[in-house]
C-alpha cells in the first residue's frame, strides 16, 4: 500500500517537472525571440532542473514559516517573508496582495448588500428601530 502511494507521488512529481520544463522552454523561446538569442536543449533542461529544485526549497521554507507561526496554512505574509531579499519582488507581491485584499472586500460588500436585499433583511439600525417600535406598541 505504501509503495502505491510512493509511486503516485513520483508520477505527480514527474508530471510537475514536465510542466516546469515546458514552461521554461516557452519562456526561453520568448526571451530568445526578443533578445535574438538561442537556448540549447541542455541549457533549457538545466534551467528547468534549477527552477524545480528552487521551488522545492521555497515550498519547504513556506511550510516552515507557517509551522513556526503555529498555522497549517501558508499565507501571503509567509510569501512576503520568503521574498524579502528581493526588493522588487517583495514590492510586487505586496502590491498584488493589497489589490486582491481590496477586491475581496469589495466582493464581500456586494454579496452582503445583495443577500440582505434579496432576503428583505433590515440593517442593524432598522432592526433596533423595529424592536423599539414593538416595545412601544406592547405598552
Amino acid at each position: 500500500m505504501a509503495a502505491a502511494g510512493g509511486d503516485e507521488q513520483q508520477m505527480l512529481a514527474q508530471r510537475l517537472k514536465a510542466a516546469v520544463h515546458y514552461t521554461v522552454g516557452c519562456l526561453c523561446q520568448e526571451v530568445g525571440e526578443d533578445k535574438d538569442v538561442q537556448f540549447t536543449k541542455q541549457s533549457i533542461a538545466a534551467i528547468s532542473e534549477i527552477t524545480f529544485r528552487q521551488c522545492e526549497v521555497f515550498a519547504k521554507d513556506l511550510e516552515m514559516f507557517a509551522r513556526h507561526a503555529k498555522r497549517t496554512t501558508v499565507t501571503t505574509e509567509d510569501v512576503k517573508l520568503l521574498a524579502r531579499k528581493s526588493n522588487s519582488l517583495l514590492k510586487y507581491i505586496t502590491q498584488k496582495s493589497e489589490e486582491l485584499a481590496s477586491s475581496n472586500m469589495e466582493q464581500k460588500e456586494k454579496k452582503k448588500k445583495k443577500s440582505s436585499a434579496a432576503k428583505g433583511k433590515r440593517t442593524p439600525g432598522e432592526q433596533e428601530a423595529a424592536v423599539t417600535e414593538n416595545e412601544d406598541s406592547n405598552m
Side-chain angles (χ1 to χ4, degrees), residues 121-130:
K121 287 191 175 181
R122 299 174 178 163
T123 63
E126 291 171 334
Q127 287 175 350
E128 189 175 306

Side-chain angles (χ1 to χ4, degrees), residues 15 75 84 108 133:
R15 287 180 62 195
T75 65
R84 71 191 179 281
K108 283 181 182 179
E133 200 174 287

Side-chain angles (χ1 to χ4, degrees), residues 45-101:
I47 293 169
S48 298
E49 186 63 29
I50 291 167
T51 302
F52 190 80
R53 288 184 185 181
Q54 191 62 49
C55 286
E56 286 179 325
V57 171
F58 287 165
K60 288 176 185 171
D61 286 349
L62 289 170
E63 184 182 354
M64 289 298 124
F65 294 158
R67 189 178 296 170
H68 178 75
K70 295 180 179 38
R71 289 183 275 107
T72 56
T73 304
V74 173
T75 65
T76 54
E77 294 306 312
D78 298 323
V79 177
K80 289 177 191 176
L81 184 61
L82 182 70
R84 71 191 179 281
K85 292 180 183 176
S86 170
N87 288 333
S88 60
L89 181 59
L90 180 59
K91 184 177 177 182
Y92 179 80
I93 290 171
T94 302
Q95 177 189 355
K96 289 297 178 186
S97 173
E98 289 169 358
E99 287 174 14
L100 281 171

Side-chain angles (χ1 to χ4, degrees), residues 107-119:
Q107 286 179 350
K108 283 181 182 179
E109 288 298 319
K110 285 180 183 178
K111 262 187 178 175
K112 190 183 274 187
K113 288 178 183 176
K114 196 176 187 180
S115 68
S116 65
K119 293 179 181 177

Side-chain angles (χ1 to χ4, degrees), residues 21 39-48:
H21 184 78
F39 292 85
T40 64
K41 289 181 180 180
Q42 293 85 359
S43 64
I44 292 172
I47 293 169
S48 298

